[in-house]
Amino acid sequence: MRTIDKTKPVMVTGANGYVASWLVKQLLEDGITVHAAVRNPAKKEKYAHLDVIAEKSSGSIKYFAADLLKEGSYAEAMEGCELVYHTASPFTLNVKDPQKQLIDPAVKGTANILNQANKTESIKRVVVTSSCAAIYTDALDTVNAPGGRINESIWNETSSLEYQPYSYSKTLAEKKAWEICGAQDRWDLVTINPSFVMGPALNPENTTSESMSVLKQMGDGSMKMGVPKMGVGVVDVRDVATAHYKAGFIPEANGRYITSAHSTDFLEMAMTLQPKFGDKFPLPTKALPKWLIMLVGPLLNPAFSRKMLRNNVNIPWDADNSKIKSQLGIQFRPMQETMEESFETLISSGILKSK
Ligand code: NAP
């Protein structure tokens, strides 16, 4: 159990990211000094939105250049901190070299940051942004879990370098985090394991997260013939930020936290957009038949292998989210609100244009 002094700076890795930006906002609004680790401080457009928030809040922000793959590059940003949030990790599904593009930054990056925590005497707690992907690969895994829903005691055993390498990268990275934490006792580790994150982006023009690309495809006509009815969990980015915040500052927070609000599927998600945006955007309104997706999916997108489609299309998804609700007091937003407000950011930023 660790108590964190809010007058000490807090480090956030990948501070400009989709999820991290909302966490940085909460920290700044609570008067905290944020040590924001970003890959390239010369690219101001990636984090200018955080400066705007800092100007309006009682906290302050300082930027540090750091790269997951450069050993020691987080030393300066971590100096004097008691709490570290490690959110940085590539979230992209279409990769040519999964080892280089996903596994190395996720696993070596986690080791780099936690080894630095070992060298930084002031560190008391590290919160790692893991994922439900470290628990399951396919919706079918949730069906096969005890009681038909995943829980925090389960580890992903079905992903590999060849199959769903993003899930594999998150699994190996979280395992590495627990291994390094277990070898010392000065700092403790808490992991936040979100399902698919949706909700408004604070910097939509520069967001690389897969979350925004899926939403964009729902609105730009790419899915107007229909959407694969794949089971998935969804959670609002603002609730994920609150989960991180509480995991950092509640002394009793411990272990892994499944952070998932709704057990749903891609069709149900798209249908929440119909009432408000259905007449202006070519949104999907029906499920694509499984046989058709199995036939054309692998040709359209290498990530849509037959195995992946077989294990996800028309398969329900479920997770037990009771731990985070009872221990961290998280109350999740309704999916309708999350989806509508996400879509609105894509419209107001000009990424999506009405027909
Ligand atoms: P994002 O916006 O793409 O953020 C990823 C962050 O990681 C960016 O700040 C990126 O920096 C940084 N990064 C990537 N490679 C790096 C490297 N080599 N060195 C330093 N920084 C690097 O994606 P996100 O959705 O917010 O994801 C944040 C975290 O949440 C990730 O750990 C992801 O696995 C996890 N997560 C996301 C979801 C979801 O649905 N979005 C669900 C579960 C878990 P640049 O901007 O410079 O590239």
Side-chain angles (χ1 to χ4, degrees), residues 14 16-19 39 46 66-68 74 87-91 129-131 166 170 194-197 208-209 211:
N16 62 296
Y18 169 53
V19 169
R39 207 195 308 222
K46 283 208 157 205
D67 192 297
L68 291 170
Y74 290 86
T87 82
S89 202
F91 179 31
T129 314
S130 184
S131 173
Y166 168 72
K170 296 303 285 182
S195 56
F196 193 50
V197 183
T208 50
S209 176
S211 292

Side-chain angles (χ1 to χ4, degrees), residues 46 78 103 119 142 145 150 235 322:
K46 283 208 157 205
M78 214 181 276
I103 315 285
K119 290 183 200 146
T142 76
I150 51 168
V235 60
S322 56

Side-chain angles (χ1 to χ4, degrees), residues 310-331:
R310 199 169 42 241
N311 292 351
N312 289 281
V313 178
N314 299 347
I315 310 277
W317 186 99
D318 204 6
D320 178 357
N321 63 4
S322 56
K323 184 184 175 201
I324 197 161
K325 289 202 266 189
S326 63
Q327 293 190 3
L328 303 188
I330 296 291
Q331 291 176 329

